[in-house]
Amino acid sequence: MTVTLKRGTRLTITDMDIDPHQLLQTAGPRLGLHGHMMMGGVESMVFKQAGLYQLTTKTVEMGPMMNPKTVGPDNKLRL
């Protein structure tokens, strides 16, 4: 996924998956992302500097008691 934003724009990402995810920055000026997001959790960031930012997600393992049965492959967001 590619998004073009003007400097100073706020982007909000909501975790709509049953699994918790951690949003990770792999390139660009530092955004100061927080910890992991549970289902319905929100991560919001403002792009204060011009540049090419790259983000990805990592599924956070919650232990054997919290692994519900799912169908199909896991999706991984890349932005």
Side-chain angles (χ1 to χ4, degrees):
M1 176 185 296
T2 301
V3 177
T4 302
L5 305 168
K6 292 183 180 180
R7 185 174 38 218
T9 299
R10 177 179 300 276
L11 176 68
T12 301
I13 297 174
T14 304
D15 182 358
M16 299 297 291
D17 189 10
I18 194 168
D19 292 324
H21 292 272
Q22 182 173 8
L23 187 61
L24 303 169
Q25 182 176 357
T26 58
R30 185 167 168 78
L31 289 171
L33 302 174
H34 301 98
H36 65 273
M37 300 179 293
M38 300 299 280
M39 184 174 174
V42 174
E43 178 77 53
S44 186
M45 65 217 72
V46 176
F47 296 85
K48 296 177 182 177
Q49 298 179 37
L52 176 64
Y53 295 80
Q54 292 180 343
L55 306 171
T56 189
T57 60
K58 175 183 173 185
T59 303
V60 177
E61 298 298 328
M62 295 301 288
M65 297 300 290
M66 298 294 292
N67 276 337
K69 182 174 172 61
T70 58
V71 178
D74 290 341
N75 293 314
K76 185 171 186 176
L77 171 70
R78 290 187 195 99
L79 176 64

Coordinates of all heavy atoms in Angstrom, one line a residue:
M1 N 0.8 -1.2 0.0 CA 0.0 0.0 0.0 C 0.9 1.2 0.0 O 1.9 1.3 0.7 CB -0.9 0.0 1.3 CG -1.7 1.2 1.4 SD -2.7 1.2 2.9 CE -3.7 -0.2 2.7
T2 N 0.5 2.2 -0.8 CA 1.3 3.5 -0.8 C 0.3 4.6 -0.6 O -0.8 4.6 -1.1 CB 1.9 3.6 -2.2 OG1 2.8 2.5 -2.5 CG2 2.7 4.9 -2.3
V3 N 0.7 5.5 0.3 CA -0.1 6.7 0.6 C 0.8 7.9 0.5 O 2.0 7.9 0.9 CB -0.6 6.6 2.1 CG1 -1.4 7.9 2.4 CG2 -1.5 5.4 2.2
T4 N 0.3 9.0 -0.2 CA 1.0 10.2 -0.3 C 0.3 11.3 0.6 O -0.9 11.5 0.4 CB 1.1 10.7 -1.7 OG1 1.7 9.7 -2.5 CG2 1.9 12.0 -1.9
L5 N 1.1 11.9 1.5 CA 0.5 12.8 2.4 C 1.3 14.1 2.4 O 2.5 14.1 2.1 CB 0.5 12.3 3.9 CG -0.1 10.9 4.1 CD1 0.3 10.4 5.5 CD2 -1.6 11.0 4.0
K6 N 0.7 15.2 2.8 CA 1.4 16.5 2.9 C 2.0 16.5 4.3 O 1.5 15.9 5.3 CB 0.4 17.6 2.8 CG -0.2 17.8 1.4 CD -1.1 19.0 1.4 CE -1.6 19.2 0.0 NZ -2.5 20.4 -0.1
R7 N 3.1 17.2 4.4 CA 3.8 17.4 5.7 C 2.8 17.9 6.7 O 2.1 18.8 6.5 CB 5.0 18.3 5.6 CG 5.9 18.4 6.8 CD 7.1 19.1 6.6 NE 7.0 20.3 5.8 CZ 7.9 20.7 4.9 NH1 9.0 20.1 4.8 NH2 7.6 21.7 4.1
G8 N 2.9 17.4 7.9 CA 2.0 17.8 9.0 C 0.7 17.0 9.1 O -0.1 17.3 10.0
T9 N 0.4 16.1 8.1 CA -0.8 15.3 8.1 C -0.8 14.3 9.2 O 0.3 13.7 9.5 CB -1.0 14.7 6.8 OG1 -1.1 15.7 5.8 CG2 -2.2 13.8 6.7
R10 N -1.9 14.0 9.8 CA -2.1 13.0 10.9 C -2.7 11.7 10.2 O -3.6 11.8 9.5 CB -3.0 13.4 12.0 CG -3.2 12.3 13.0 CD -4.1 12.8 14.2 NE -3.5 13.9 14.9 CZ -2.6 13.8 15.9 NH1 -2.2 12.6 16.3 NH2 -2.1 14.8 16.4
L11 N -2.0 10.6 10.4 CA -2.5 9.3 9.9 C -2.9 8.4 11.1 O -2.1 8.3 12.1 CB -1.5 8.6 9.1 CG -1.8 7.2 8.5 CD1 -2.9 7.3 7.5 CD2 -0.6 6.5 7.9
T12 N -4.1 7.8 11.1 CA -4.5 7.0 12.2 C -4.8 5.6 11.6 O -5.4 5.4 10.6 CB -5.8 7.5 12.8 OG1 -5.6 8.8 13.3 CG2 -6.3 6.6 13.9
I13 N -4.2 4.6 12.2 CA -4.3 3.2 11.9 C -5.0 2.4 13.0 O -4.6 2.6 14.1 CB -2.9 2.5 11.6 CG1 -2.3 3.3 10.4 CG2 -3.1 1.1 11.3 CD1 -0.9 2.8 10.1
T14 N -6.1 1.7 12.6 CA -6.8 0.9 13.6 C -6.6 -0.6 13.4 O -6.7 -1.0 12.2 CB -8.3 1.2 13.5 OG1 -8.5 2.6 13.7 CG2 -9.1 0.5 14.6
D15 N -6.3 -1.3 14.4 CA -6.1 -2.8 14.3 C -7.5 -3.4 14.3 O -8.2 -3.4 15.4 CB -5.3 -3.3 15.5 CG -5.1 -4.8 15.4 OD1 -5.6 -5.4 14.5 OD2 -4.4 -5.3 16.3
M16 N -8.0 -3.9 13.2 CA -9.3 -4.6 13.1 C -9.1 -6.1 13.0 O -10.1 -6.8 12.6 CB -10.0 -4.1 11.8 CG -10.2 -2.6 11.8 SD -11.3 -2.0 13.1 CE -12.8 -2.7 12.6
D17 N -8.0 -6.6 13.5 CA -7.7 -8.1 13.4 C -7.9 -8.6 14.9 O -7.6 -7.9 15.8 CB -6.3 -8.3 12.9 CG -6.0 -9.7 12.6 OD1 -6.9 -10.6 12.7 OD2 -4.8 -10.0 12.4
I18 N -8.2 -9.9 15.0 CA -8.3 -10.5 16.3 C -6.9 -10.6 17.0 O -6.9 -10.5 18.2 CB -9.0 -11.9 16.2 CG1 -9.4 -12.4 17.6 CG2 -8.1 -12.9 15.5 CD1 -10.3 -13.5 17.6
D19 N -5.9 -10.7 16.2 CA -4.5 -10.7 16.8 C -4.0 -9.3 17.1 O -4.3 -8.4 16.4 CB -3.5 -11.4 15.8 CG -3.8 -12.8 15.5 OD1 -4.2 -13.5 16.5 OD2 -3.6 -13.3 14.4
P20 N -3.3 -9.2 18.2 CA -2.6 -7.9 18.5 C -1.4 -7.7 17.5 O -0.8 -8.7 17.1 CB -2.2 -8.0 19.9 CG -2.1 -9.5 20.2 CD -3.0 -10.1 19.3
H21 N -1.2 -6.5 17.1 CA -0.1 -6.2 16.2 C 0.7 -5.0 16.7 O 0.2 -4.1 17.4 CB -0.6 -5.7 14.8 CG -1.3 -6.8 14.1 ND1 -0.6 -7.7 13.3 CD2 -2.6 -7.3 14.1 CE1 -1.5 -8.6 12.8 NE2 -2.7 -8.3 13.3
Q22 N 2.0 -5.1 16.4 CA 2.9 -4.0 16.7 C 3.2 -3.3 15.4 O 3.6 -3.9 14.4 CB 4.2 -4.4 17.4 CG 5.1 -3.3 17.8 CD 6.3 -3.8 18.6 OE1 6.5 -5.0 18.7 NE2 7.1 -2.9 19.1
L23 N 3.0 -2.0 15.3 CA 3.4 -1.2 14.1 C 4.8 -0.8 14.3 O 5.3 -0.2 15.3 CB 2.5 0.1 14.1 CG 2.6 0.9 12.8 CD1 2.2 0.1 11.6 CD2 1.7 2.1 13.0
L24 N 5.6 -1.1 13.2 CA 7.1 -0.9 13.2 C 7.4 0.0 12.1 O 6.9 -0.1 11.0 CB 7.8 -2.2 13.1 CG 7.5 -3.3 14.1 CD1 8.1 -4.6 13.7 CD2 8.1 -2.9 15.5
Q25 N 8.4 0.9 12.3 CA 8.9 1.8 11.3 C 10.2 1.3 10.8 O 11.1 1.0 11.6 CB 9.1 3.2 11.8 CG 9.6 4.2 10.8 CD 9.7 5.6 11.3 OE1 9.3 5.9 12.4 NE2 10.1 6.5 10.5
T26 N 10.3 1.1 9.5 CA 11.6 0.5 8.9 C 12.4 1.6 8.2 O 13.5 1.3 7.9 CB 11.2 -0.7 8.0 OG1 10.4 -0.2 7.0 CG2 10.6 -1.8 8.8
A27 N 11.8 2.7 7.9 CA 12.6 3.8 7.2 C 11.9 5.1 7.4 O 10.7 5.2 7.7 CB 12.7 3.5 5.7
G28 N 12.7 6.2 7.3 CA 12.1 7.5 7.3 C 12.5 8.2 8.7 O 12.9 7.6 9.6
P29 N 12.2 9.5 8.7 CA 12.4 10.3 10.0 C 11.6 9.6 11.1 O 10.5 9.2 10.9 CB 11.9 11.7 9.6 CG 12.0 11.8 8.1 CD 11.8 10.4 7.6
R30 N 12.1 9.6 12.3 CA 11.5 8.9 13.4 C 10.1 9.5 13.8 O 9.9 10.7 13.9 CB 12.4 9.1 14.6 CG 12.0 8.3 15.8 CD 13.1 8.3 16.9 NE 12.6 7.8 18.2 CZ 12.4 6.5 18.5 NH1 12.6 5.6 17.6 NH2 12.0 6.2 19.7
L31 N 9.2 8.5 13.9 CA 7.8 8.9 14.3 C 7.4 8.7 15.7 O 6.5 9.3 16.2 CB 6.8 8.0 13.4 CG 6.7 8.3 12.0 CD1 5.9 7.2 11.2 CD2 6.1 9.6 11.7
G32 N 8.2 7.9 16.5 CA 7.9 7.7 17.9 C 6.7 6.8 18.1 O 5.8 7.2 18.8
L33 N 6.6 5.7 17.5 CA 5.5 4.8 17.6 C 5.4 4.2 19.0 O 6.4 4.0 19.6 CB 5.5 3.7 16.5 CG 5.6 4.2 15.1 CD1 5.8 3.0 14.1 CD2 4.3 4.9 14.7
H34 N 4.2 3.8 19.4 CA 4.0 3.2 20.7 C 4.0 1.7 20.7 O 4.5 1.1 19.7 CB 2.6 3.7 21.2 CG 2.6 5.2 21.4 ND1 2.0 6.0 20.4 CD2 3.1 6.1 22.3 CE1 2.1 7.3 20.7 NE2 2.7 7.3 21.9
G35 N 3.6 1.1 21.7 CA 3.6 -0.4 21.8 C 2.7 -1.1 20.9 O 2.3 -0.5 19.8
H36 N 2.2 -2.2 21.2 CA 1.3 -3.0 20.3 C -0.1 -2.6 20.5 O -0.5 -2.0 21.5 CB 1.5 -4.5 20.6 CG 1.1 -5.0 21.9 ND1 1.9 -5.0 23.0 CD2 -0.1 -5.5 22.3 CE1 1.3 -5.5 24.0 NE2 0.1 -5.8 23.7
M37 N -0.9 -2.9 19.5 CA -2.3 -2.6 19.4 C -3.2 -3.8 19.5 O -2.9 -4.8 18.8 CB -2.7 -1.9 18.1 CG -2.0 -0.6 17.8 SD -2.4 0.1 16.2 CE -1.8 -1.1 15.1
M38 N -4.1 -3.9 20.4 CA -5.1 -5.0 20.5 C -6.2 -4.7 19.5 O -6.2 -3.6 18.9 CB -5.7 -5.0 21.9 CG -4.6 -5.3 23.0 SD -3.7 -6.8 22.9 CE -4.9 -7.9 23.5
M39 N -7.1 -5.7 19.3 CA -8.2 -5.5 18.4 C -9.0 -4.2 18.7 O -9.3 -4.0 19.9 CB -9.1 -6.7 18.4 CG -10.2 -6.6 17.4 SD -11.1 -8.2 17.5 CE -12.5 -7.8 16.4
G40 N -9.1 -3.3 17.8 CA -9.8 -2.1 18.0 C -8.9 -1.0 18.4 O -9.3 0.2 18.5
G41 N -7.6 -1.3 18.7 CA -6.6 -0.3 19.1 C -6.2 0.6 18.0 O -6.3 0.3 16.8
V42 N -5.8 1.8 18.4 CA -5.4 2.8 17.4 C -4.0 3.3 17.6 O -3.6 3.5 18.7 CB -6.4 4.0 17.5 CG1 -6.1 5.1 16.6 CG2 -7.9 3.5 17.3
E43 N -3.3 3.5 16.5 CA -2.0 4.2 16.5 C -2.1 5.4 15.6 O -2.6 5.3 14.5 CB -0.9 3.2 16.0 CG 0.4 3.8 15.9 CD 1.2 3.9 17.2 OE1 1.2 2.9 17.9 OE2 1.6 5.0 17.6
S44 N -1.8 6.6 16.1 CA -1.9 7.8 15.3 C -0.6 8.5 15.3 O 0.2 8.5 16.3 CB -2.9 8.7 16.0 OG -3.2 9.8 15.2
M45 N -0.2 9.0 14.1 CA 1.1 9.7 14.0 C 1.0 10.9 13.1 O 0.1 10.9 12.2 CB 2.1 8.7 13.4 CG 1.8 8.2 12.0 SD 2.2 6.5 11.7 CE 0.9 5.6 12.6
V46 N 1.8 11.9 13.3 CA 1.9 13.1 12.5 C 3.2 13.1 11.8 O 4.3 12.9 12.4 CB 1.8 14.3 13.3 CG1 1.9 15.6 12.5 CG2 0.4 14.3 14.1
F47 N 3.2 13.3 10.5 CA 4.4 13.3 9.6 C 4.9 14.8 9.6 O 4.5 15.5 8.7 CB 4.1 12.8 8.2 CG 3.7 11.3 8.3 CD1 2.4 10.9 8.5 CD2 4.6 10.3 8.1 CE1 2.0 9.6 8.6 CE2 4.3 9.0 8.2 CZ 3.0 8.6 8.4
K48 N 5.8 15.1 10.5 CA 6.3 16.5 10.7 C 7.4 16.8 9.7 O 7.6 18.0 9.4 CB 6.8 16.7 12.1 CG 5.7 16.5 13.2 CD 6.3 16.7 14.5 CE 5.2 16.5 15.6 NZ 5.8 16.6 17.0
Q49 N 8.1 15.8 9.2 CA 9.2 16.1 8.3 C 8.9 15.4 6.9 O 8.2 14.4 6.9 CB 10.5 15.5 8.8 CG 10.9 16.1 10.1 CD 12.2 15.4 10.6 OE1 13.1 15.1 9.8 NE2 12.3 15.2 11.9
A50 N 9.3 16.1 5.8 CA 9.2 15.5 4.5 C 10.1 14.3 4.4 O 11.2 14.2 5.1 CB 9.6 16.5 3.4
G51 N 9.7 13.3 3.7 CA 10.6 12.1 3.5 C 9.8 10.9 3.1 O 8.6 10.9 3.0
L52 N 10.5 9.8 2.9 CA 9.9 8.5 2.6 C 9.9 7.7 3.9 O 10.9 7.4 4.4 CB 10.7 7.8 1.5 CG 10.3 6.4 1.1 CD1 8.8 6.4 0.5 CD2 11.2 5.7 0.2
Y53 N 8.7 7.4 4.3 CA 8.5 6.6 5.5 C 8.1 5.2 5.1 O 7.3 5.0 4.2 CB 7.4 7.2 6.4 CG 7.7 8.5 7.0 CD1 7.6 9.7 6.2 CD2 8.1 8.7 8.3 CE1 7.8 11.0 6.7 CE2 8.4 9.9 8.8 CZ 8.2 11.1 8.0 OH 8.5 12.3 8.6
Q54 N 8.5 4.2 5.8 CA 8.1 2.8 5.6 C 7.7 2.2 6.9 O 8.4 2.3 7.9 CB 9.2 2.0 4.9 CG 9.5 2.4 3.5 CD 10.6 1.6 2.8 OE1 11.4 0.9 3.5 NE2 10.7 1.7 1.5
L55 N 6.5 1.6 6.9 CA 6.0 1.0 8.1 C 5.6 -0.5 7.8 O 5.2 -0.8 6.6 CB 4.7 1.7 8.5 CG 4.9 3.2 8.8 CD1 3.5 3.9 9.0 CD2 5.8 3.5 10.0
T56 N 5.6 -1.3 8.8 CA 5.2 -2.7 8.7 C 4.5 -3.1 10.0 O 4.6 -2.3 11.0 CB 6.3 -3.6 8.3 OG1 5.8 -4.9 8.0 CG2 7.4 -3.7 9.4
T57 N 3.9 -4.3 10.0 CA 3.4 -4.7 11.3 C 4.0 -6.1 11.6 O 4.4 -6.8 10.8 CB 1.8 -4.9 11.2 OG1 1.5 -5.9 10.2 CG2 1.1 -3.6 11.0
K58 N 3.9 -6.4 12.9 CA 4.4 -7.7 13.4 C 3.3 -8.2 14.4 O 2.8 -7.4 15.2 CB 5.7 -7.5 14.2 CG 6.2 -8.7 14.9 CD 7.5 -8.4 15.7 CE 7.9 -9.6 16.5 NZ 9.0 -9.2 17.4
T59 N 2.9 -9.4 14.2 CA 1.9 -10.0 15.0 C 2.5 -10.3 16.4 O 3.6 -10.9 16.5 CB 1.3 -11.3 14.4 OG1 0.8 -11.1 13.1 CG2 0.3 -11.9 15.3
V60 N 1.9 -9.9 17.5 CA 2.3 -10.1 18.8 C 1.8 -11.4 19.3 O 0.5 -11.5 19.4 CB 1.9 -8.9 19.7 CG1 2.4 -9.1 21.2 CG2 2.5 -7.6 19.2
E61 N 2.6 -12.3 19.7 CA 2.2 -13.6 20.2 C 1.6 -13.4 21.7 O 2.2 -12.8 22.5 CB 3.3 -14.6 20.2 CG 3.8 -14.9 18.8 CD 2.8 -15.6 17.9 OE1 1.9 -16.3 18.4 OE2 2.9 -15.3 16.7
M62 N 0.5 -14.0 21.9 CA -0.2 -13.8 23.2 C -0.2 -15.1 24.1 O -0.8 -15.2 25.1 CB -1.6 -13.3 23.0 CG -1.7 -12.0 22.4 SD -0.9 -10.7 23.4 CE -2.0 -10.5 24.8
G63 N 0.5 -16.1 23.7 CA 0.6 -17.4 24.4 C -0.5 -18.4 24.0 O -1.4 -18.0 23.2
P64 N -0.4 -19.6 24.4 CA -1.2 -20.7 23.9 C -2.7 -20.5 24.3 O -3.6 -21.0 23.6 CB -0.7 -22.0 24.5 CG 0.1 -21.5 25.7 CD 0.6 -20.1 25.3
M65 N -3.0 -19.9 25.4 CA -4.4 -19.7 25.8 C -5.1 -18.7 25.0 O -6.4 -18.6 25.0 CB -4.5 -19.4 27.3 CG -3.9 -20.4 28.2 SD -4.8 -22.0 28.1 CE -6.3 -21.6 28.8
M66 N -4.4 -17.8 24.3 CA -5.0 -16.7 23.5 C -4.9 -16.9 22.0 O -4.9 -16.0 21.3 CB -4.3 -15.4 23.9 CG -4.5 -15.0 25.3 SD -6.1 -14.7 25.8 CE -6.4 -13.2 24.9
N67 N -4.8 -18.2 21.5 CA -4.6 -18.5 20.1 C -5.9 -19.0 19.6 O -6.1 -20.3 19.5 CB -3.5 -19.4 19.8 CG -2.2 -18.7 19.7 OD1 -2.1 -17.5 19.4 ND2 -1.1 -19.4 20.0
P68 N -6.9 -18.2 19.2 CA -8.1 -18.7 18.6 C -7.9 -19.3 17.2 O -7.0 -18.9 16.5 CB -9.0 -17.5 18.5 CG -8.1 -16.4 18.4 CD -6.9 -16.8 19.2
K69 N -8.7 -20.3 16.9 CA -8.6 -20.9 15.5 C -9.0 -19.9 14.5 O -10.1 -19.3 14.6 CB -9.5 -22.2 15.5 CG -9.4 -22.9 14.1 CD -10.1 -24.2 14.2 CE -10.3 -24.9 12.9 NZ -9.0 -25.3 12.3
T70 N -8.2 -19.7 13.5 CA -8.5 -18.8 12.4 C -8.5 -19.6 11.0 O -7.9 -20.7 11.0 CB -7.5 -17.6 12.3 OG1 -6.2 -18.1 12.2 CG2 -7.6 -16.8 13.6
V71 N -9.0 -19.0 10.0 CA -9.1 -19.7 8.7 C -8.3 -18.8 7.7 O -8.5 -17.6 7.7 CB -10.5 -19.8 8.2 CG1 -10.6 -20.4 6.8 CG2 -11.3 -20.7 9.2
G72 N -7.4 -19.4 6.9 CA -6.7 -18.7 5.9 C -5.4 -18.1 6.4 O -5.1 -18.2 7.6
P73 N -4.6 -17.6 5.5 CA -3.3 -17.1 5.8 C -3.3 -15.8 6.6 O -4.3 -15.0 6.5 CB -2.6 -16.9 4.5 CG -3.8 -16.6 3.6 CD -4.9 -17.4 4.1
D74 N -2.3 -15.5 7.4 CA -2.2 -14.2 8.1 C -1.9 -13.2 7.1 O -1.1 -13.4 6.2 CB -1.1 -14.3 9.2 CG -1.5 -15.2 10.4 OD1 -2.7 -15.5 10.5 OD2 -0.6 -15.6 11.1
N75 N -2.4 -12.0 7.3 CA -2.1 -10.8 6.5 C -1.1 -9.9 7.2 O -1.1 -9.8 8.4 CB -3.3 -10.0 6.2 CG -4.3 -10.7 5.3 OD1 -3.9 -11.3 4.3 ND2 -5.6 -10.7 5.7
K76 N -0.2 -9.3 6.5 CA 0.8 -8.4 7.0 C 0.7 -7.1 6.3 O 0.9 -7.1 5.1 CB 2.2 -9.0 6.9 CG 3.3 -8.2 7.6 CD 4.6 -9.0 7.6 CE 5.6 -8.2 8.4 NZ 6.8 -9.0 8.5
L77 N 0.5 -6.0 7.0 CA 0.4 -4.7 6.5 C 1.7 -4.2 6.2 O 2.6 -4.2 7.0 CB -0.4 -3.8 7.4 CG -0.4 -2.3 7.0 CD1 -1.2 -2.1 5.8 CD2 -0.8 -1.5 8.2
R78 N 1.9 -3.7 5.0 CA 3.1 -2.9 4.6 C 2.7 -1.6 4.0 O 1.9 -1.6 3.1 CB 4.0 -3.7 3.6 CG 4.6 -4.9 4.2 CD 5.6 -5.6 3.2 NE 5.9 -6.9 3.6 CZ 5.3 -8.0 3.2 NH1 4.4 -8.0 2.2 NH2 5.6 -9.2 3.7
L79 N 3.2 -0.5 4.6 CA 2.8 0.8 4.2 C 4.0 1.6 3.9 O 4.9 1.6 4.8 CB 1.9 1.5 5.2 CG 1.5 2.9 5.0 CD1 0.6 3.0 3.8 CD2 0.7 3.4 6.2

